[in-house]
Amino acid sequence: MTLDHDVQNQSESNLKKYQQIETFAKQQGVEFYPAGRGIGHQIMVEEGYAWPGTLAVASDSHSNMYGGVGCLGTPVVRTDAASIWATGRTWWQIPPIARVTFRGSLPKGVTGKDIIVALCGLFNHDEVLNHAIEFTGSEETMRSLPIDDRLAIANMTTEWGALSGLFPIDSVLQGWLRYKATSSALLSPSQLPRHPLFTHERLEELFSAPLSSDRGATYAKQLYLDLSTLSPFVSGPNSVKVATPLKDLESQSIPIDRAYLVSCTNSRASDIAAAAKVFRDAAKQTPDEIAPKIPENVKFYIAAASRVEQQTAEDAGDWQVLLESGAQPLPAGCGPCIGLGTGLLEPGEVGISASNRNFKGRMGSTDAKAYLASPEVVAASALRGVISGPGWYEPAAGVPGVLRGEGDGIKEEDRMISVEEALEKIIAQADALVETAEIDGVVKSTDRTASNETTDVLPGFPERVKGEIIFCDADNINTDGIYPGKYTYQDNITASKMAEVCMSNYDPSFSTIARDGDILVSGFNFGCGSSREQAATAILAKKIPMVIAGSFGNIFSRNSINNALMGLEVPRLVQRLRETFSAPTGHRASQQAITEPSQNRESLDSPPPASLEKPDKVKCLTRRTGWKIVWDVRKSQVEVQEGAGGKAWTQKVGELPPNVQEIIARGGLEKWVKEEIGKSP
């Protein structure tokens, strides 16, 4: 157990809560790391809990980070974690697998952070939504990606929409693990952890049979990115789905008010060293080589990913360089990245951060703008007071742009495969054809008998759910938009207060428009972002029993089921609502630019406020539609009435499995677990 959120909060109530957690951990014989020791994800990696070739879960959305060391990391929510402790069981739906192939090598001045920021922005149409990702590439390419870069990439696969991001157990990882084992062996007995995990004996066992994907494996999706064509990228403002080459922003001289070298993504010793180098290089340009100071109008915050990483940075002198520049140190843990503690963005301010998430309002005011970038770009921006880089980038000659796309990026005429690989490819294609035929057969059979087939409905689960549709017309509404982070770690929030602030970061007027019993309908990738359960419970507090979307972020889906909030994916309904109430598809491109960069239409996580050409179809954030919907659980279909006298239609939806019905019928996973424990002899 690690205490890493809200670590700056020294209130009596918070310290009492922390003491209760520590006492519980000791009673249960659980390894415990107190507030200030570091961020849980970093501790999982540096202490060896996230072990290559194993599965590890944690109650935070950035558990994907463990994939950087070949450990399949994926998030669960807090109720899931408690149920695992209590029962030793949990549930998953096996996700589709996407393979992302890297080609070439990074140019000088380009980092792992630039890779994942570019992936989020260049493949920004939910290509890997709810997929598990395998990263691969040639031996030469993968050798160019050190472990810290891999951790940053895997960490932000969460923002890309994936459930995990797994790197191979290769020579780079083996070298890193051997270094960790050797370092551990040199420690005195008093310095060793209670259960040392990095040992050469354990590594030999791992390396003797490392896990890898099967030869000829097939994937639901394949994408590629040519690293040699990449340049430094910046994400935002206020969206990870908007990524802009640094040079395009530098030309605009965008002033910043705050800079952040914090979070589990990019605040390891190597990141701190990169930031310190920016100031050291600047000092060399002065006659007396005096360390430069950040401008008075800029605040620069630094927090190491762990105390161990901070000590390493201090030993190298890098931490002191940043302090002497005027940086303000924060405890090793989560802070401004999640909107807690010192240094939050004020209304009208602009910030640039080396963290992983820049949703509107997450790092402070909803009227502020947040960008994401690599540690060196953050440091250079802090030094100059405008978004800028350190000048290290050396572009490859003759590269017109970033090469990326579907497949593995190898031209067929350049592809050389062995006879065995060709045979495996043919067999895989044949298997896929058989599987498709089987699926088609099942679908056709189901269609022919749909009117006669029904779904069993368990006692306590409603056979029909109905209400008026309230439409929030936006894709990628994230959990910060649904439930503001500033309330997430307050234990005394009442249900009525949760209902009042529900969706307020998305639309402050939502609480006055929505009514008890409404059915909330939104666009695609609803509920992306953090693992906070309040995103589901706040909607329930608003007495909205069901959410319908084109698609959901997986972690929100888990939260919904675990907290007895019903959810359905009905893309056709979203399409009909947009055809009726929203601007025509493609119309957005004709809007005037409303913020920098000129190509950016504000944030994809919130609808742009610019006026449309057709005022009669101006998109409003939250709309009472007058439409009625009924979910017939037994028939597995929805019945839609498009307003009084309007069109009526039905749509088949997926059957709700008995185990999901049971959890919801019992009032959520917590109550289900308590009842199950109560049955024990």
Side-chain angles (χ1 to χ4, degrees):
M1 290 185 184
T2 303
L3 298 179
D4 59 7
H5 282 46
D6 208 15
V7 296
Q8 299 178 41
N9 184 352
Q10 298 297 307
S11 67
E12 182 180 350
S13 61
N14 196 54
L15 294 178
K16 181 180 179 181
K17 179 170 61 177
Y18 282 178
Q19 184 58 55
Q20 291 172 334
I21 295 171
E22 183 174 2
T23 300
F24 174 80
K26 291 179 177 178
Q27 290 172 344
Q28 300 296 324
V30 176
E31 298 283 352
F32 177 78
Y33 296 87
R37 168 60 177 80
I39 301 172
H41 302 311
Q42 178 63 27
I43 290 173
M44 286 284 289
V45 170
E46 70 185 26
E47 295 294 332
Y49 297 114
W51 192 254
T54 67
L55 168 67
V57 300
S59 58
D60 185 86
S61 58
H62 290 105
S63 306
N64 296 24
M65 189 177 99
Y66 315 148
V69 291
C71 171
L72 182 58
T74 195
V76 295
V77 295
R78 287 150 186 77
T79 303
D80 282 322
S83 69
I84 292 171
W85 293 340
T87 68
R89 293 183 293 164
T90 189
W91 62 274
W92 271 292
Q93 291 176 310
I94 303 302
I97 312 298
R99 182 171 71 173
V100 176
T101 301
F102 293 137
R103 300 187 61 200
S105 299
L106 287 175
K108 183 180 178 181
V110 184
T111 70
K113 183 60 166 285
D114 297 307
I115 292 175
I116 190 59
V117 166
L119 286 172
C120 290
L122 299 177
F123 296 100
N124 62 2
H125 296 293
D126 296 340
E127 285 90 344
V128 296
L129 179 63
N130 297 333
H131 284 60
I133 296 174
E134 287 183 21
F135 289 109
T136 187
S138 69
E139 184 176 352
E140 180 182 1
T141 293
M142 300 310 284
R143 275 203 308 266
S144 72
L145 296 176
I147 295 301
D148 283 1
D149 275 353
R150 298 181 184 198
L151 291 171
I153 294 168
N155 181 289
M156 278 191 65
T157 56
T158 302
E159 279 64 46
W160 200 15
L163 298 180
S164 62
L166 187 67
F167 278 84
I169 303 174
D170 60 3
S171 60
V172 174
L173 179 59
Q174 290 181 13
W176 182 85
L177 290 168
R178 291 191 191 280
Y179 170 80
K180 295 286 287 186
T182 299
S183 299
S184 180
L186 295 175
L187 294 174
S188 65
S190 62
Q191 294 175 304
L192 284 171
R194 188 167 62 175
H195 303 293
L197 298 176
F198 290 108
T199 66
H200 285 291
E201 293 78 14
R202 195 177 183 206
L203 292 184
E204 291 307 318
E205 181 182 354
L206 170 66
F207 299 156
S208 66
L211 284 178
S212 61
S213 57
D214 297 332
R215 292 184 63 183
T218 57
Y219 296 87
K221 190 161 295 181
Q222 295 195 57
L223 304 171
Y224 75 90
L225 177 68
D226 190 331
L227 303 185
S228 65
T229 66
L230 205 59
S231 66
F233 266 75
V234 176
S235 169
N238 296 351
S239 175
V240 294
K241 287 178 175 284
V242 176
T244 307
L246 172 64
K247 61 181 177 61
D248 293 349
L249 298 185
E250 283 183 306
S251 65
Q252 300 177 47
S253 299
I254 301 170
I256 66 162
D257 301 283
R258 301 177 192 263
Y260 307 86
L261 181 55
V262 299
S263 88
C264 53
T265 315
N266 280 118
S267 58
R268 284 170 281 279
S270 62
D271 302 312
I272 297 167
K277 186 177 184 300
V278 172
F279 287 88
R280 286 194 176 104
D281 287 354
K284 293 176 183 178
Q285 305 303 314
T286 63
D288 299 321
E289 295 195 5
I290 299 174
K293 301 285 186 180
I294 60 174
E296 292 185 359
N297 62 313
V298 175
K299 294 181 174 61
F300 185 23
Y301 305 92
I302 58 174
S306 73
R307 197 178 295 160
V308 171
E309 294 294 314
Q310 180 174 330
Q311 186 62 57
T312 302
E314 289 178 356
D315 292 344
D318 298 324
W319 189 258
Q320 291 85 337
V321 166
L322 297 181
L323 294 182
E324 290 169 4
S325 76
Q328 179 176 342
L330 300 174
C334 306
C337 172
I338 56 172
L340 293 174
T342 301
L344 303 189
L345 288 169
E346 298 291 339
E349 289 189 335
V350 175
I352 188 166
S353 177
S355 55
N356 46 35
R357 196 168 280 163
N358 59 348
F359 300 151
K360 184 178 70 172
R362 177 175 175 84
M363 297 183 68
S365 170
T366 56
D367 294 324
K369 293 177 182 176
Y371 294 85
L372 303 178
S374 66
E376 42 264 67
V377 169
V378 169
S381 300
L383 178 59
R384 298 183 177 93
V386 296
I387 293 179
S388 56
W392 302 342
Y393 171 53
E394 296 180 1
V399 177
V402 181
L403 296 180
R404 80 278 187 184
E406 296 185 358
D408 58 12
I410 301 176
K411 297 179 181 179
E412 288 302 319
E413 59 268 26
D414 297 333
R415 192 182 302 277
M416 296 180 64
I417 60 176
S418 66
V419 174
E420 292 81 2
E421 289 172 327
L423 182 59
E424 288 172 350
K425 182 177 180 181
I426 292 171
I427 293 173
Q429 290 172 340
D431 288 342
L433 287 173
V434 171
E435 183 179 348
T436 301
E438 290 174 347
I439 293 173
D440 287 345
V442 171
V443 171
K444 290 176 183 177
S445 174
T446 302
D447 288 343
R448 286 196 300 268
T449 60
S451 60
N452 299 322
E453 292 182 356
T454 58
T455 301
D456 292 333
V457 180
L458 298 185
F461 195 91
E463 292 196 14
R464 292 167 67 86
V465 181
K466 60 184 178 180
E468 182 178 342
I469 292 174
I470 184 170
F471 187 34
C472 293
D473 186 7
D475 297 330
N476 309 301
I477 294 181
N478 55 70
T479 50
D480 285 87
I482 300 169
Y483 191 77
K486 63 184 177 182
Y487 301 109
T488 302
Y489 302 100
Q490 297 182 30
D491 297 328
N492 58 348
I493 300 294
T494 63
S496 60
K497 182 64 175 179
M498 292 182 74
E500 177 187 335
V501 302
C502 178
M503 303 293 289
S504 60
N505 268 3
Y506 164 74
D507 180 6
S509 64
F510 178 87
S511 63
T512 61
I513 298 173
R515 301 171 187 165
D516 293 0
D518 281 343
I519 304 300
L520 172 59
V521 179
S522 189
F524 292 82
N525 197 21
F526 183 85
C528 56
S530 75
S531 59
R532 67 191 61 165
E533 292 187 88
Q534 295 94 329
T537 55
I539 293 173
L540 286 170
K542 191 60 182 169
K543 298 184 179 179
I544 293 173
M546 183 166 69
V547 178
I548 298 176
S551 61
F552 290 99
N554 180 269
I555 203 163
F556 179 84
S557 295
R558 290 188 73 93
N559 271 327
S560 297
I561 294 169
N562 289 346
N563 290 282
L565 173 65
M566 292 174 281
L568 284 177
E569 292 187 354
V570 190
R572 180 186 174 191
L573 177 59
V574 177
Q575 179 183 356
R576 283 292 303 135
L577 286 164
R578 286 178 167 170
E579 289 172 351
T580 304
F581 297 109
S582 304
T585 302
H587 186 68
R588 184 178 301 175
S590 66
Q591 293 175 224
Q592 295 182 351
I594 55 174
T595 185
E596 72 285 345
S598 61
Q599 294 80 15
N600 179 26
R601 303 291 186 248
E602 186 62 39
S603 164
L604 296 186
D605 301 319
S606 58
S611 60
L612 298 168
E613 291 176 356
K614 296 183 179 179
D616 61 319
K617 283 196 174 184
V618 170
K619 180 192 292 185
C620 61
L621 298 180
T622 305
R623 180 190 297 273
R624 298 206 63 81
T625 64
W627 291 22
K628 301 295 178 64
I629 189 167
V630 177
W631 176 28
D632 191 318
V633 180
R634 192 171 294 279
K635 293 183 179 179
S636 296
Q637 70 179 25
V638 292
E639 303 160 4
V640 179
Q641 176 62 54
E642 298 185 355
K647 181 180 178 181
W649 50 274
T650 62
Q651 173 73 47
K652 293 293 291 184
V653 295
E655 294 185 11
L656 196 64
N659 59 330
V660 176
Q661 288 188 42
E662 183 180 5
I663 291 172
I664 294 176
R666 292 197 195 183
L669 186 62
E670 181 179 343
K671 293 181 180 179
W672 181 90
V673 169
K674 288 180 178 178
E675 290 184 21
E676 290 298 303
I677 294 174
K679 294 177 183 178
S680 303

